[in-house]
Amino acid sequence: MPEAVIVSAVRTPIGTAFKGTLSETPAEDLATHVLREAVRRSGLAPGRFDDVAFGEVMYGGGDLARYAAVAAGMTHVPGVAVQRHCASGLAAIGLAAASIRAGMDRAVVAGGVQSSSTGPSLTWRIPGSDGSEQRIAPTFPHTDEATDDVSLSVGWNVAQRYGLTREQMDAWALRSHRRAVAATGSGAFADEIVPIKVTRRDGSVVEFAADEHPRSTTSAEKLASLAPLHPEIDGFSITAGSASGMNDGAAALAIVADDLARAEGLPELAVVRAWTAVGVQPAYTGVGAIDAATKVLERAGLRASEIDLWEINEAFASVPVAACEVLGLDEERVNVHGSGCSLGHPIAATGARMVTTLVHELRRRGGGFGLATMCAGGGQGGAVVIEVP
């Protein structure tokens, strides 16, 4: 059985939705940009790739992976849209690795793309009437305990279940910003970020080369001063500061069979060792990151203590804080360059972004195991384990 080897891993800088640098750049342009660069860096001719799998969320149909393939001149390569909400990028990586290990494909580009700034607004007819309403497509049956308000089902309910304090979550968010700012300043993202030229609304063209969501001015005092998102709920401790942002961005990884990589002399950056997805109660969606991590460790035959670096998406700070407590993790090995609270959360791209960051940071550190895990809308979770030799 061939191994699935990552031979390139890239991402765009992450933009702040609606008011940031990527706010006028549609998702198809972001997807095409990272696809081209992932293929170029792989060292494999574009004609050798079998498929493109891209996560996309809240786009109401279409197939951005196929669009990017055609736009990149890879007309013979099909594309598949992968939708597992926040874990879509991770699911795309698992799909690519599975096809390669099964011997069905030899080379696949996997990733995810999100333009929250330019995404469609979906209108639905109300059954039994001629009226309509704007809403997102349902993923689970709504109840009093489980609605589309993720500040409750991801942030607050997880904080309540594990007895987390606002001080713990604010402290995590502050550290996230400090780590992201430090990583940008030190050049830690230089190997993974692909600058992109964008046209602003006024017609000017700029090169976007660094994440713009992290805030160097964030302080403990500023975070403590923020109002809770639900002041009507007694003791509610989730704020905008301990939540991820709304963001734009894309990430892509070229994944090939190990024998193909050796035969072509491609850069073998990492091996995809295991992947998984889980379902949890929608009212406690944030738990999905913990359950997915537990399941993927079992599939990889590893213990949590054997993982050198962790990426746990900060959909809300409560998620990684709870995961560290439950799994017994050393916080110094978790989100070493920040995550959702600071870098932002371009939904469908985040999973691929996390694995991309793990690949490059583990290589800088001399190798080891990395685990990316996250919760996903509707009471789900996804996780991937990689090994950098």
Side-chain angles (χ1 to χ4, degrees), residues 309-361:
L309 288 179
W310 292 73
E311 284 279 332
I312 305 175
N313 185 39
E314 296 163 359
F316 292 86
S318 57
V319 175
V321 172
C324 286
E325 289 194 3
V326 174
L327 300 173
L329 307 183
D330 177 359
E331 295 179 358
E332 293 305 310
R333 295 187 176 191
V334 180
N335 300 350
V336 297
H337 293 325
S339 184
C341 290
S342 54
L343 293 174
H345 181 18
I347 304 170
T350 295
R353 193 285 303 165
M354 294 195 301
V355 175
T356 294
T357 299
L358 282 175
V359 168
H360 291 286
E361 185 58 27

Side-chain angles (χ1 to χ4, degrees), residues 150-211:
V150 292
S151 70
L152 295 169
S153 62
V154 178
W156 175 240
N157 288 354
V158 170
Q160 287 285 91
R161 171 172 285 190
Y162 296 106
L164 308 182
T165 66
R166 172 165 177 172
E167 289 73 22
Q168 285 177 288
M169 292 181 283
D170 283 355
W172 188 284
L174 177 60
R175 183 169 55 189
S176 180
H177 279 281
R178 287 177 172 172
R179 287 179 171 181
V181 169
T184 300
S186 69
F189 293 136
D191 290 338
E192 65 190 71
I193 287 181
V194 184
I196 179 172
K197 289 185 178 180
V198 300
T199 302
R200 295 180 183 271
R201 188 172 295 191
D202 62 6
S204 62
V205 178
V206 299
E207 184 175 79
F208 186 39
D211 302 314

